[in-house]
Each structure stands twice: as structure tokens, then as C-alpha cells.
Amino acid sequence: MPNLKPIPAAAAEPQPDPFALLASLPVAVLAVGRDRVIRFVNLAAQQLLDASESALVGQDLTGFVPGDSPLFTLIDQAIQQDRSVADYGMLLESPRIGRRTVSVTVAPLVEPPDLAVVSLFEESVARRIDTQLNRRHAARSMTAMAAMLAHEIKNPLSGIRGAAQLLEQTVGDDDRALTRLICEETDRIVRLVDRMDAFSDPSPLNRDPVNIHEVLERARQVAQTGFGRHVRFIERYDPSLPPVPGQFDQLVQVFLNLIKNAVEAVAEDGEIILTTAYQRGVAIAVQGTSQRLNLPLMVAIQDNGPGIPDDLKDHLFDPFVTTKAEGSGLGLSLVAKIIGDHGGLIGFESEPRRTVFKISLPIHAEPAPNGDSEDNGSEP
């Protein structure tokens, strides 16, 4: 009888991960069971829900989204009817994630069963990029107007002030108060025009690698030792972030302005949260080319003040729009211009007790040895 050797059993092939393809999608994707427990989240979903993967997977989704949200109706409908369902303009609101308007698509999974894949596209992201382009046009208009004002207004003002000083030497005490008023008001207008000169600076931006946390720390220190002494600052930083290309002093000016606005908005027991994070899927087109500039570095300034009035939200970055009695309305216009000069985007979300200004910036790319950039943050 021949010596028959047993045939080894075929090695079991590894089962493919059903969520592997979803992990790299730029849209927020999560897998939720019939029991509403989260089984998977990609990076975009972690950013949307403001929590890490370890804090989300295995948790009930109702801990992040209210249980009466229509989102759960869509999930149940998709699993029970075994078909894809969608909704647009859905409002997701909770103390943790704030108020977000999203488009939702829910599809059932065949394997494993009783799971649904939920895709959430935040409509405010697209709207934020569109409004940023409008702000850049407004900044260009401000540049032209500032240059005109500096030339056409400051020179006549100098003559008016000189004439008032001459009159002050010849009039009586009663009229001298009026000549002084003319001088003071002339000086005030000159200071306003000087502030607008910042919009007409034609010098190119010299970009150096800047540690965004050093920028935020400088702005926080200035605030906390001065106008922000009564406010509690909370820092939520990602220390692994790479540098951004820009000018240190200008970026300090941006965040000091935003922090000052936040401090003025909160009460004595106010709270300001400074956050940095790495985000995927945010990019803008590079004018005149087919490339898109990635903006993966996100900085957020959040306060617990009363919020921005609804009638100002659409015009907050426009020149001369302000909520302050003594404000000129140029601070946020200048912030938008500087962020635009750095190739970034700025937007905000506001409701009572939660206003967040978010800035998206590119990252610095080291030049290759041959002088070319290895990675300029853009994609074809």
C-alpha cells in the first residue's frame, strides 16, 4: 500500500475589512448598528463629532446626537427596508458638536448584517469656502479704497488741522474749545485712515516656517496679562502639527484680534478654548492653475459668550461692520485679509453660549535639494 501523506488543509484567507475603503474618504462616515452603537468612524467623522476613534467606537450615538434626531429614523429605515435613504439640510445639534447642517446618506451593509453606513456632508464647509472667496474680493476692494483714502483724505486733513491751530491763536476762550475739537476730530480721522493703510500694503508676504502653537501662546500670554485677566483659557492642542508658511507677527495679530473679540464677548466667568487639529478634505483652487491647495491645519477660537446677532452674521467680515459701540469695524476685515494672504480660510459658527472662529491654513513644505518643493500642499 502506498504511503499516502495527508493533504494539508488550505490556509484560511484573511477576511477583508469591510470598513477599509471608508477610512480614507474625505466625507464623514460612520457605521452604526441597529442598537445605535457606533462600530466604525473615519477621520472626517471624528472631526465632525469632535471626538477620537477610541472615544466613539463602542459608544451609543445618542451620546453625541440627540436621540430624537431624524438621523436615527433614517438609520432604522435603511436597515429595516434594506435600501439606501437620504436627506438634505438636516440639522444636527448638541452641546458637544454645536449646530451643524448636513446632508445625510444612509445605506445598509450586507456583511456584517444589521449595520448601516452613515455619510454626513457638512454643508457649511462648502458655504465657508464660497464666502471666503467673496471676502477676498471685499479685501481687494478695501485695498483700493484704502490707497485712495490715504492720498485724498490725509493731505486735506493736514491743512484743516493747521488752519485750526492758527485760528486757536486768534480766537477767545469760548471759541478755542471749538478749534481744539476740530484738531481732535481731525486726529481721530487720521488714526482711522492709518488703520486702513494696512489693507493697502503692497509688499509681498515673506513666508517662513511658523510654529502655530508659539503664535497662539504669544497671543494668549498678551491677553492673559492684560485685557483677558478675568477669562479662563483652555488649550486643546495637537503637538504633532507641522509648521505653517507665513509671518509670525501677522499671525499673532490675527489671533490676538480674535481672542480680544472673544474676551469682550464673554462675562467675568468667561471661558475661551484654543484648539488646533489636523483635518483632511479642505482645499481651495489655486487661481490660474488646475491645482488645489490643501489646508489641513485647523485653529479654532471658541467662547461661551451670547453669540453673534443673526443680522450681522452674513456681513461680519465686511468693513465697518461691528457690534462694539466704540469699534471701527476694521478688525475682522483685516483678519480676513491676513488669513487670505497666508492662503487660508476663516469662518465661524455662532449660537448662544458657543461662538467658534475656525481658521484653515496650509502647512510648510521643505524645498527639495534641487530647489524644487517636495510637497507644496497642492494636488492636481
Side-chain angles (χ1 to χ4, degrees):
M1 173 180 274
N3 186 15
L4 299 178
K5 296 182 179 181
I7 300 175
E13 295 186 3
Q15 294 297 316
D17 184 354
F19 305 125
L21 294 177
L22 306 177
S24 59
L25 292 178
V27 177
V29 177
L30 55 157
V32 182
R34 190 187 294 269
D35 54 3
R36 300 186 175 184
V37 173
I38 302 172
R39 307 297 170 82
F40 165 82
V41 287
N42 69 351
L43 182 60
Q46 296 171 43
Q47 294 170 352
L48 179 69
L49 297 176
D50 194 23
S52 64
E53 180 180 13
S54 59
L56 288 166
V57 174
Q59 301 299 315
D60 196 313
L61 184 57
T62 56
F64 303 87
V65 179
D68 58 353
S69 171
L71 174 62
F72 294 106
T73 302
L74 290 183
I75 294 173
D76 294 340
Q77 186 177 355
I79 294 176
Q80 292 172 5
Q81 300 180 8
D82 195 26
R83 65 183 182 90
S84 297
V85 291
D87 195 4
Y88 304 94
M90 180 184 294
L91 179 64
L92 298 182
E93 186 174 11
S94 74
R96 185 181 187 97
I97 67 173
R99 184 183 180 93
R100 299 176 183 270
T101 302
V102 296
S103 295
V104 184
T105 301
V106 184
L109 269 179
V110 177
E111 201 55 52
D114 291 334
L115 281 183
V117 174
V118 182
S119 302
L120 304 171
F121 179 79
E122 190 174 6
E123 296 178 357
S124 62
V125 173
R127 193 161 53 243
R128 182 172 151 214
I129 293 175
D130 182 58
T131 53
Q132 176 67 21
L133 296 178
N134 292 334
R135 288 170 196 149
R136 289 187 178 179
H137 292 308
R140 294 191 187 102
S141 299
M142 279 296 298
T143 299
M145 185 171 66
M148 180 272 294
L149 285 172
H151 181 267
E152 300 294 338
I153 293 182
K154 291 177 74 173
N155 289 340
L157 286 175
S158 177
I160 293 172
R161 195 184 195 287
Q165 288 176 323
L166 291 175
L167 281 173
E168 188 174 359
Q169 301 173 9
T170 61
V171 299
D173 292 340
D174 293 339
D175 294 330
R176 191 169 290 120
L178 297 177
T179 59
R180 289 175 183 169
L181 178 62
I182 294 173
C183 292
E184 291 170 0
E185 286 299 291
T186 301
D187 291 341
R188 186 178 66 83
I189 297 173
V190 169
R191 288 195 299 270
L192 178 60
V193 175
D194 284 341
R195 288 196 65 190
M196 295 182 65
D197 273 346
F199 290 94
S200 60
D201 184 4
S203 58
L205 182 66
N206 295 321
R207 304 187 183 209
D208 298 313
V210 177
N211 185 324
I212 198 66
H213 296 120
E214 292 180 0
V215 170
L216 290 169
E217 183 64 13
R218 174 71 61 82
R220 184 196 62 78
Q221 287 178 346
V222 172
Q224 207 158 25
T225 57
F227 56 82
R229 286 191 297 268
H230 64 284
V231 172
R232 184 166 72 101
F233 286 88
I234 299 174
E235 298 169 343
R236 297 175 180 171
Y237 295 158
D238 179 351
S240 66
L241 293 180
V244 302
Q247 288 188 352
F248 182 87
D249 290 343
Q250 287 196 11
L251 289 172
V252 169
Q253 181 182 0
V254 163
F255 292 108
L256 191 58
N257 192 307
L258 292 174
I259 291 174
K260 189 172 188 295
N261 287 346
V263 167
E264 292 174 349
V266 300
E268 288 295 324
D269 60 343
E271 179 180 278
I272 294 177
I273 303 173
L274 309 177
T275 305
T276 62
Y278 193 89
Q279 60 182 1
R280 297 181 184 273
V282 177
I284 58 174
V286 179
Q287 190 172 9
T289 72
S290 60
Q291 293 181 330
R292 294 173 62 81
L293 179 65
N294 291 317
L295 305 175
L297 195 149
M298 188 277 294
V299 183
I301 312 294
Q302 178 178 330
D303 68 69
N304 60 349
I308 298 169
D310 290 339
D311 59 336
L312 293 183
K313 288 182 179 179
D314 291 338
H315 310 284
L316 195 63
F317 292 93
D318 294 347
F320 309 113
V321 174
T322 180
T323 60
K324 306 173 188 176
E326 302 296 328
S328 63
L330 294 178
L332 286 178
S333 296
L334 184 58
V335 164
K337 178 186 183 298
I338 294 175
I339 292 299
D341 290 343
H342 281 74
L345 297 174
I346 182 170
F348 69 93
E349 304 166 3
S350 184
E351 59 190 52
R353 304 291 295 172
R354 186 180 184 273
T355 295
V356 187
F357 280 84
K358 292 184 178 180
I359 295 93
S360 299
L361 293 167
I363 59 175
H364 177 74
E366 293 290 345
N370 60 4
D372 297 329
S373 174
E374 292 179 347
D375 179 10
N376 61 2
S378 61
E379 59 186 18

